[in-house]
Amino acid sequence: MKKLTYKTIQKAKGCWAISLVLFTLTEGKAQLTEPRETIVIGNTKQLFIDDKLIQSHKSVDFVMNQPYSTGEILIETDLPHEAGGEVYLYSSVLKDDEGKVKIWYDFLRQKSETDPYDHDRHVGYAESADGIHFTKPEVGLHALNGSKKNNVVLPGIIGGSAVWLDPQAPPAHRYKTQAKVYPSGKLHMHSSPDGINWKFFSEINPRGPFDTQTIVFWDETSNKHVFYGRHFVDRKEGDELVLRRRGVRRAILEDYKDVVDTGVVLWPDFIDQGTYSDKVRQNPVDYYGATVFPYPETKGVYIMLTQAFWHWVTDTEFQGTGEPGTRDIRLEVSRDGTSFSKAGARKAFIKPGPLGRFDSRQIWAMPNPIVMGDEIWIYYCGVNWDRAGRIDPMAPGGKKKSAITRAVLRLDGFVSLDTPYDATGEVVTKPVTFTGGKLEINTDTGGGGSIRVEILEEDGTPVPGFTLQESDWIVGNSVRYPVTWRGKADVKQLEGKSVRLRFVMRDAKLYAFQFK
């Protein structure tokens, strides 16, 4: 008899929790000594964004996978009514039921240096069959400079968009978006049957800050419309504001009108503050806003792409912003939309482009990333100046440049379980019950890595016909690799039974699994 002890450490809500999982291995049987918890997964996709499903693991690391930016200019201000203007940050994207990709982009034609509400700012519309080649149809709805020959779709002067589809609404109001309107500075929601013909729908009482892009969607878990928006934590000395921290709050949007806060979900913590500890008075980083969305094909998985704003050099402050005044995108993950964990050891998920390119200084992830085939396309707006307007010193001709582009990520590819070259890794799940007749995994083993899958009884006994010795070698790169045992994929006989999965891996990445 040989005893093995695995220690799993997870960080939860700011404190360290340590749990011990004991296995007694006797004649190939893993006897579990801790209380058992059976998780009903049905046929939904299971992502390894955290250790929720994992009972034990060894020689395995959770790895954040960065998408690659294409650097393409997909949308820029190239129409006569946009001349001299800028594509700006608060834009949004959707793929409709027919597969057409629609973008509502914020473009700014001019800006007053003295009046923050004197914007000539509008929302233009563009569409594409492939998500890459966009056209800007002349919709003839709203006049600019006395002419309706343009692609402006939202009435008035609008501070961007955050378009979403509302499954609770009748067809006439299926598309919705909310944004600040000028000159009133109020938060208005508009609705549309098609994403082109928009009308005023409601005035929202935000009950707090909302001066950046706000996110709203119907949450199937809580059966409510949830709202993510700006949060401030200020410190004053007398009447003087000496420190402002920006974060993200979550709320419930009731009757499309009232925002009821449920709490702050992201703010700069002590680790963030310690990144430039010599700048004791200045906040080195804020979380200026966030794109939050429930991940498709799953239940209870929420992704946050937060816009981190860096500004720690106070002696070069200009227009209220210290250098570098840049923004990048960080990744947060959650199981409930309320408690988020930072992925990738807090490193950037998407970085600004190289100096000299249009996206070299600030980038902003647009709601919402879309699935295109076996990839996730994360559209983002990039600009070559910082928040204070300081232009990239390598900008061609020293001129401002902005555009919408995209970053490409593998399907389910936010976080993976990785095993090294020189060791065999192993992951054993908690007991689960599933529906379906076959098992597929999302994996990349390269040419020399491998995965084998064993199905265990709840007590750790290998199920005959599904043992490690009977498992066929999985070698390759596929988002839907069928798992087989001596050539057979049928697992229907185990449907509804409490079982565990054991993944034995070497030099491989495992992203997700799904019974189908």
Side-chain angles (χ1 to χ4, degrees), residues 42-43 434-440 455 466 482-485 488-496 514-516:
N43 62 356
F434 67 88
T435 57
K438 63 179 181 179
L439 173 63
E440 294 179 347
I455 301 181
F466 302 95
V483 180
T484 58
W485 295 263
K488 297 180 180 180
D490 187 9
V491 296
K492 193 71 174 178
Q493 69 189 74
L494 302 176
E495 185 179 41
Q514 184 175 15
F515 288 93
K516 304 185 75 172

Side-chain angles (χ1 to χ4, degrees), residues 229-234 243-249 264-276 281-289 304 306-311 330 332 342 346:
R230 173 63 63 81
H231 175 74
F232 285 133
V233 176
D234 293 339
L243 181 64
R244 162 159 285 182
R245 297 180 183 176
R246 298 174 179 87
V248 178
R249 61 183 173 125
V264 179
V265 294
L266 178 67
W267 67 94
D269 59 17
F270 289 111
I271 296 176
D272 293 326
Q273 300 309 304
T275 53
Y276 293 89
R281 287 179 63 88
Q282 179 60 39
N283 209 44
V285 60
D286 287 312
Y287 295 107
Y288 207 81
M304 177 188 289
T306 183
Q307 336 290 348
F309 170 40
W310 296 91
H311 53 100
R330 309 278 157 153
E332 312 267 339
K342 292 176 169 57
R346 299 175 180 248

Side-chain angles (χ1 to χ4, degrees), residues 3-10 17-25 30-36 51 53-58 426-431 458 500:
K3 289 189 176 181
L4 298 178
T5 300
Y6 296 94
K7 182 183 293 184
T8 301
I9 301 177
Q10 67 180 39
I18 301 178
S19 61
L20 297 179
V21 182
L22 300 179
F23 289 81
T24 302
L25 299 183
Q31 295 179 333
L32 305 179
T33 61
E34 76 166 21
R36 296 165 183 168
D51 62 359
L53 286 174
I54 296 174
Q55 189 77 73
S56 69
H57 63 84
K58 64 175 181 179
E426 181 175 315
V427 177
V428 178
T429 70
K430 296 175 181 177
E458 189 178 278
R500 301 175 187 268

